[in-house]
Amino acid sequence: AALREAVEAAEAALAAPKPTLLELVGAQTALRDAAAAAGMASPPAVCDVQTAFVKLTLEQEASFFEDMAALNVRPPDAVTRVTDYVPEIVSYIETIARNGYCYEANGSVYFDTAAFTSSEGKVYGKLVDASALADKELLAEGEGALSASSAEADKRHPSDFALWKASKPGEPAWPSPWGEGRPGWHIECSAMMSDLLGGEVDINAGGIDLKFPHHENQMAQVEAHYDCCKACNYFWHSGHLSIDGLKMSKSLKNFITIREALETYSARQLRFLFLLQKYHQPMEYSQNSMAAAADLERRFGAFEAALAARLREADTAADAAPQEVLHRWGDQERRLNDALVDKRAAVHAALLDCIDTPSAVKRLEQLIRAANSYMGEVPQPQRGATLLHAVARYYRRVMGAFGVETALDAAGAAGSADSATPLQLTEAVSSFRDTVRSIAIEAKRSGGEGAGLADEVLRVCDALRDESLPALGVRIEDRPSGVAQFAIDEPQRVLAEAARRREAAASGAAASCGSAGSLPEAA
């Protein structure tokens, strides 16, 4: 009977809408004791909360870094874990206590905001106006579960906050001079930051929801620890993410993970979404905003492919006939150089103005239009190669700063030393096809016994361009120079374009570029 009651209690705890950790561990313990009393040889084990918390955080940390890598976010120089810093956090609080800015109550330690603000030169509330300091909801959010009435009764002032929390049964706990407990939310960041960066940092970043009370408390703790009056020079607060006009929230069931977003959009497209919105303003994730980002990413990608092909043509032409390379500037080169100088200055000014990436991207798009116009007006690859290389270098540098990989990267997209990237593989296939196709064209021109084989080779080259590669998201466009232009895009889009080309060729509405049995136009 006792065992049956314990099982029913455990099932009830699991079925509860929001069971507390204490309730779950209590039900688990009762079930184990009842099983042991009933003579069960192997009664169910009780969760080791301390071990389980560390395991869970390590799993989440690994998942987070996988998501960051998928978005092409560089890894940090240092990773700090609260569980590694508990002794340092205890020591940090002890220093604040010696300086007179905190007090102990019932095993917990609270920051004394009144003592802090009464100290000369110190201000609590630097980041917000006075109304926020009296906002009970914000203050309770900053304390979490500790904002229960018993904890509030221990505080000397409503705005005081926990540096150390006395642990309840079943909660993680570490030893301290005040008894078993765990660090408060805010003190963790102060202690870890100070350990690596000292008592004053230049830039501290985070979401706008961390502005108060977290960043306010974090800054106050550092100033209390070092007994100084300035812990941080600048705060960067990013805007909230909204989904279809509503703030992302699990309760609203409009929550989307990075991995879910990457199932629909590429990392590059998501980067463009971020770039098209100012970092400190709310960011909208919706079909419309992603459609705009994807369209801009496609146009930038088309430019990268065109410029990369033009530079390859220029390099090929220079190798074949260096004496024919034209370095002297004409009117077109001067206009393109003026655009490069002007847009480079405009991009720099936009980034100096509160990191205004939307304006910077707009100016970069204007440079793209100028470069595209130049390549359209001056089709000869022997002209303007040096200037176009300068445009490519600048474009690569800016996009690299934005974390966007491009087709202009010197070695393709960043990859490991052990494996090639999709872009590098595409370039290798395209280059091989260019060589084979060029040999076949020459054999066809020469006539003779190899003409029939040349026709078959050209047919296979066309099939690779029109059928095999589009299914993989690779677009190849043959050019009169013999150096094809290629790009990586969504397979559905490339397949649709290939289908339209076949329909146009079949109806005679458009001429087939580089079709089997035909020769390319002279450059």
Side-chain angles (χ1 to χ4, degrees), residues 448-476:
E449 296 180 358
L453 178 60
D455 281 339
E456 179 62 17
V457 169
L458 289 172
R459 187 194 67 77
V460 171
C461 285
D462 285 356
L464 181 66
R465 178 197 63 199
D466 298 334
E467 300 171 16
S468 302
L469 292 179
L472 301 175
V474 176
R475 179 190 298 108
I476 286 187

mmCIF file of all heavy atoms in Angstrom, residues 448-476:
data_model
loop_
_atom_site.group_PDB
_atom_site.id
_atom_site.type_symbol
_atom_site.label_atom_id
_atom_site.label_comp_id
_atom_site.label_asym_id
_atom_site.label_seq_id
_atom_site.Cartn_x
_atom_site.Cartn_y
_atom_site.Cartn_z
ATOM 1 N N GLY A 448 37.652 17.100 -88.372
ATOM 2 C CA GLY A 448 38.386 15.842 -88.346
ATOM 3 C C GLY A 448 37.673 14.776 -87.532
ATOM 4 O O GLY A 448 36.481 14.881 -87.195
ATOM 5 N N GLU A 449 38.443 13.738 -87.169
ATOM 6 C CA GLU A 449 37.859 12.589 -86.495
ATOM 7 C C GLU A 449 37.343 12.908 -85.094
ATOM 8 O O GLU A 449 36.452 12.235 -84.582
ATOM 9 C CB GLU A 449 38.909 11.472 -86.400
ATOM 10 C CG GLU A 449 39.344 10.949 -87.761
ATOM 11 C CD GLU A 449 40.379 9.850 -87.628
ATOM 12 O OE1 GLU A 449 40.763 9.550 -86.468
ATOM 13 O OE2 GLU A 449 40.796 9.288 -88.650
ATOM 14 N N GLY A 450 37.896 13.935 -84.437
ATOM 15 C CA GLY A 450 37.481 14.232 -83.067
ATOM 16 C C GLY A 450 36.227 15.070 -82.955
ATOM 17 O O GLY A 450 35.759 15.342 -81.835
ATOM 18 N N ALA A 451 35.647 15.517 -84.087
ATOM 19 C CA ALA A 451 34.486 16.403 -84.035
ATOM 20 C C ALA A 451 33.286 15.718 -83.377
ATOM 21 O O ALA A 451 32.545 16.330 -82.606
ATOM 22 C CB ALA A 451 34.127 16.880 -85.436
ATOM 23 N N GLY A 452 33.070 14.444 -83.694
ATOM 24 C CA GLY A 452 31.938 13.735 -83.103
ATOM 25 C C GLY A 452 32.073 13.607 -81.602
ATOM 26 O O GLY A 452 31.097 13.809 -80.857
ATOM 27 N N LEU A 453 33.265 13.289 -81.134
ATOM 28 C CA LEU A 453 33.498 13.196 -79.693
ATOM 29 C C LEU A 453 33.346 14.562 -79.036
ATOM 30 O O LEU A 453 32.807 14.674 -77.922
ATOM 31 C CB LEU A 453 34.894 12.644 -79.422
ATOM 32 C CG LEU A 453 35.300 12.535 -77.959
ATOM 33 C CD1 LEU A 453 34.348 11.611 -77.198
ATOM 34 C CD2 LEU A 453 36.750 12.020 -77.835
ATOM 35 N N ALA A 454 33.767 15.614 -79.751
ATOM 36 C CA ALA A 454 33.634 16.971 -79.209
ATOM 37 C C ALA A 454 32.174 17.327 -78.982
ATOM 38 O O ALA A 454 31.811 17.948 -77.972
ATOM 39 C CB ALA A 454 34.296 17.981 -80.148
ATOM 40 N N ASP A 455 31.315 16.924 -79.953
ATOM 41 C CA ASP A 455 29.875 17.183 -79.784
ATOM 42 C C ASP A 455 29.344 16.501 -78.528
ATOM 43 O O ASP A 455 28.554 17.063 -77.771
ATOM 44 C CB ASP A 455 29.103 16.684 -81.009
ATOM 45 C CG ASP A 455 29.205 17.649 -82.181
ATOM 46 O OD1 ASP A 455 29.502 18.839 -81.928
ATOM 47 O OD2 ASP A 455 29.005 17.220 -83.327
ATOM 48 N N GLU A 456 29.763 15.262 -78.310
ATOM 49 C CA GLU A 456 29.284 14.518 -77.150
ATOM 50 C C GLU A 456 29.790 15.153 -75.850
ATOM 51 O O GLU A 456 29.059 15.252 -74.863
ATOM 52 C CB GLU A 456 29.735 13.062 -77.247
ATOM 53 C CG GLU A 456 29.300 12.190 -76.077
ATOM 54 C CD GLU A 456 27.792 12.079 -75.930
ATOM 55 O OE1 GLU A 456 27.049 12.401 -76.897
ATOM 56 O OE2 GLU A 456 27.335 11.680 -74.836
ATOM 57 N N VAL A 457 31.042 15.602 -75.834
ATOM 58 C CA VAL A 457 31.600 16.258 -74.652
ATOM 59 C C VAL A 457 30.838 17.542 -74.349
ATOM 60 O O VAL A 457 30.510 17.838 -73.188
ATOM 61 C CB VAL A 457 33.110 16.535 -74.837
ATOM 62 C CG1 VAL A 457 33.628 17.452 -73.724
ATOM 63 C CG2 VAL A 457 33.890 15.240 -74.865
ATOM 64 N N LEU A 458 30.548 18.333 -75.391
ATOM 65 C CA LEU A 458 29.797 19.576 -75.191
ATOM 66 C C LEU A 458 28.391 19.283 -74.677
ATOM 67 O O LEU A 458 27.848 20.025 -73.849
ATOM 68 C CB LEU A 458 29.734 20.365 -76.498
ATOM 69 C CG LEU A 458 31.059 21.004 -76.934
ATOM 70 C CD1 LEU A 458 30.936 21.596 -78.333
ATOM 71 C CD2 LEU A 458 31.485 22.076 -75.946
ATOM 72 N N ARG A 459 27.791 18.189 -75.156
ATOM 73 C CA ARG A 459 26.456 17.815 -74.675
ATOM 74 C C ARG A 459 26.506 17.464 -73.183
ATOM 75 O O ARG A 459 25.631 17.870 -72.408
ATOM 76 C CB ARG A 459 25.922 16.630 -75.480
ATOM 77 C CG ARG A 459 24.462 16.287 -75.139
ATOM 78 C CD ARG A 459 24.071 14.928 -75.696
ATOM 79 N NE ARG A 459 24.803 13.851 -75.027
ATOM 80 C CZ ARG A 459 24.491 13.402 -73.808
ATOM 81 N NH1 ARG A 459 23.508 13.935 -73.100
ATOM 82 N NH2 ARG A 459 25.209 12.424 -73.276
ATOM 83 N N VAL A 460 27.527 16.728 -72.800
ATOM 84 C CA VAL A 460 27.660 16.359 -71.389
ATOM 85 C C VAL A 460 27.918 17.595 -70.535
ATOM 86 O O VAL A 460 27.394 17.722 -69.416
ATOM 87 C CB VAL A 460 28.798 15.324 -71.218
ATOM 88 C CG1 VAL A 460 29.087 15.095 -69.746
ATOM 89 C CG2 VAL A 460 28.429 14.015 -71.899
ATOM 90 N N CYS A 461 28.712 18.529 -71.032
ATOM 91 C CA CYS A 461 28.956 19.781 -70.301
ATOM 92 C C CYS A 461 27.666 20.554 -70.100
ATOM 93 O O CYS A 461 27.429 21.139 -69.024
ATOM 94 C CB CYS A 461 29.976 20.639 -71.061
ATOM 95 S SG CYS A 461 31.685 20.053 -70.942
ATOM 96 N N ASP A 462 26.809 20.582 -71.135
ATOM 97 C CA ASP A 462 25.523 21.269 -71.008
ATOM 98 C C ASP A 462 24.619 20.556 -70.003
ATOM 99 O O ASP A 462 23.905 21.197 -69.222
ATOM 100 C CB ASP A 462 24.829 21.334 -72.374
ATOM 101 C CG ASP A 462 25.456 22.381 -73.287
ATOM 102 O OD1 ASP A 462 26.373 23.094 -72.816
ATOM 103 O OD2 ASP A 462 25.045 22.492 -74.456
ATOM 104 N N ALA A 463 24.643 19.236 -70.022
ATOM 105 C CA ALA A 463 23.817 18.471 -69.077
ATOM 106 C C ALA A 463 24.267 18.719 -67.644
ATOM 107 O O ALA A 463 23.437 18.829 -66.726
ATOM 108 C CB ALA A 463 23.880 16.978 -69.408
ATOM 109 N N LEU A 464 25.568 18.814 -67.438
ATOM 110 C CA LEU A 464 26.078 19.121 -66.105
ATOM 111 C C LEU A 464 25.590 20.500 -65.660
ATOM 112 O O LEU A 464 25.177 20.678 -64.514
ATOM 113 C CB LEU A 464 27.609 19.088 -66.125
ATOM 114 C CG LEU A 464 28.320 19.364 -64.799
ATOM 115 C CD1 LEU A 464 28.043 18.252 -63.795
ATOM 116 C CD2 LEU A 464 29.830 19.528 -65.017
ATOM 117 N N ARG A 465 25.613 21.473 -66.563
ATOM 118 C CA ARG A 465 25.173 22.832 -66.253
ATOM 119 C C ARG A 465 23.660 22.929 -66.047
ATOM 120 O O ARG A 465 23.195 23.616 -65.122
ATOM 121 C CB ARG A 465 25.591 23.768 -67.398
ATOM 122 C CG ARG A 465 25.152 25.221 -67.241
ATOM 123 C CD ARG A 465 25.234 25.942 -68.582
ATOM 124 N NE ARG A 465 24.327 25.345 -69.556
ATOM 125 C CZ ARG A 465 24.435 25.508 -70.875
ATOM 126 N NH1 ARG A 465 25.438 26.213 -71.391
ATOM 127 N NH2 ARG A 465 23.556 24.946 -71.695
ATOM 128 N N ASP A 466 22.884 22.225 -66.870
ATOM 129 C CA ASP A 466 21.436 22.419 -66.893
ATOM 130 C C ASP A 466 20.650 21.422 -66.044
ATOM 131 O O ASP A 466 19.490 21.675 -65.704
ATOM 132 C CB ASP A 466 20.923 22.335 -68.339
ATOM 133 C CG ASP A 466 21.518 23.417 -69.222
ATOM 134 O OD1 ASP A 466 21.889 24.480 -68.681
ATOM 135 O OD2 ASP A 466 21.626 23.193 -70.442
ATOM 136 N N GLU A 467 21.261 20.274 -65.694
ATOM 137 C CA GLU A 467 20.505 19.235 -65.001
ATOM 138 C C GLU A 467 21.139 18.825 -63.662
ATOM 139 O O GLU A 467 20.496 18.898 -62.619
ATOM 140 C CB GLU A 467 20.369 18.000 -65.911
ATOM 141 C CG GLU A 467 19.638 18.285 -67.220
ATOM 142 C CD GLU A 467 19.705 17.118 -68.190
ATOM 143 O OE1 GLU A 467 20.037 16.002 -67.737
ATOM 144 O OE2 GLU A 467 19.463 17.323 -69.396
ATOM 145 N N SER A 468 22.388 18.415 -63.702
ATOM 146 C CA SER A 468 23.017 17.869 -62.494
ATOM 147 C C SER A 468 23.275 18.928 -61.431
ATOM 148 O O SER A 468 22.879 18.782 -60.266
ATOM 149 C CB SER A 468 24.327 17.161 -62.857
ATOM 150 O OG SER A 468 24.097 16.131 -63.795
ATOM 151 N N LEU A 469 23.953 20.010 -61.827
ATOM 152 C CA LEU A 469 24.343 21.015 -60.839
ATOM 153 C C LEU A 469 23.165 21.837 -60.304
ATOM 154 O O LEU A 469 23.151 22.168 -59.111
ATOM 155 C CB LEU A 469 25.416 21.937 -61.427
ATOM 156 C CG LEU A 469 26.775 21.255 -61.679
ATOM 157 C CD1 LEU A 469 27.768 22.252 -62.283
ATOM 158 C CD2 LEU A 469 27.329 20.669 -60.392
ATOM 159 N N PRO A 470 22.164 22.206 -61.126
ATOM 160 C CA PRO A 470 21.021 22.942 -60.555
ATOM 161 C C PRO A 470 20.328 22.193 -59.417
ATOM 162 O O PRO A 470 19.858 22.802 -58.458
ATOM 163 C CB PRO A 470 20.083 23.118 -61.759
ATOM 164 C CG PRO A 470 21.012 23.156 -62.929
ATOM 165 C CD PRO A 470 22.086 22.158 -62.594
ATOM 166 N N ALA A 471 20.270 20.863 -59.517
ATOM 167 C CA ALA A 471 19.646 20.082 -58.448
ATOM 168 C C ALA A 471 20.412 20.204 -57.138
ATOM 169 O O ALA A 471 19.865 19.964 -56.064
ATOM 170 C CB ALA A 471 19.550 18.622 -58.865
ATOM 171 N N LEU A 472 21.689 20.605 -57.224
ATOM 172 C CA LEU A 472 22.517 20.800 -56.029
ATOM 173 C C LEU A 472 22.584 22.270 -55.622
ATOM 174 O O LEU A 472 23.295 22.620 -54.681
ATOM 175 C CB LEU A 472 23.937 20.279 -56.302
ATOM 176 C CG LEU A 472 24.048 18.798 -56.684
ATOM 177 C CD1 LEU A 472 25.487 18.456 -57.036
ATOM 178 C CD2 LEU A 472 23.541 17.918 -55.550
ATOM 179 N N GLY A 473 21.852 23.121 -56.343
ATOM 180 C CA GLY A 473 21.857 24.544 -56.010
ATOM 181 C C GLY A 473 23.008 25.312 -56.634
ATOM 182 O O GLY A 473 23.363 26.391 -56.157
ATOM 183 N N VAL A 474 23.595 24.775 -57.700
ATOM 184 C CA VAL A 474 24.730 25.432 -58.357
ATOM 185 C C VAL A 474 24.272 25.998 -59.703
ATOM 186 O O VAL A 474 23.739 25.266 -60.550
ATOM 187 C CB VAL A 474 25.900 24.460 -58.559
ATOM 188 C CG1 VAL A 474 27.034 25.142 -59.322
ATOM 189 C CG2 VAL A 474 26.397 23.947 -57.210
ATOM 190 N N ARG A 475 24.477 27.281 -59.884
ATOM 191 C CA ARG A 475 24.129 27.964 -61.132
ATOM 192 C C ARG A 475 25.417 28.244 -61.903
ATOM 193 O O ARG A 475 26.360 28.846 -61.373
ATOM 194 C CB ARG A 475 23.406 29.274 -60.838
ATOM 195 C CG ARG A 475 23.033 30.073 -62.076
ATOM 196 C CD ARG A 475 22.543 31.465 -61.724
ATOM 197 N NE ARG A 475 21.344 31.445 -60.903
ATOM 198 C CZ ARG A 475 21.314 31.766 -59.614
ATOM 199 N NH1 ARG A 475 22.434 32.123 -58.996
ATOM 200 N NH2 ARG A 475 20.187 31.739 -58.939
ATOM 201 N N ILE A 476 25.483 27.804 -63.162
ATOM 202 C CA ILE A 476 26.642 28.070 -64.013
ATOM 203 C C ILE A 476 26.172 28.759 -65.287
ATOM 204 O O ILE A 476 25.211 28.306 -65.924
ATOM 205 C CB ILE A 476 27.399 26.770 -64.358
ATOM 206 C CG1 ILE A 476 28.190 26.296 -63.130
ATOM 207 C CG2 ILE A 476 28.347 26.982 -65.531
ATOM 208 C CD1 ILE A 476 29.106 25.126 -63.390
#
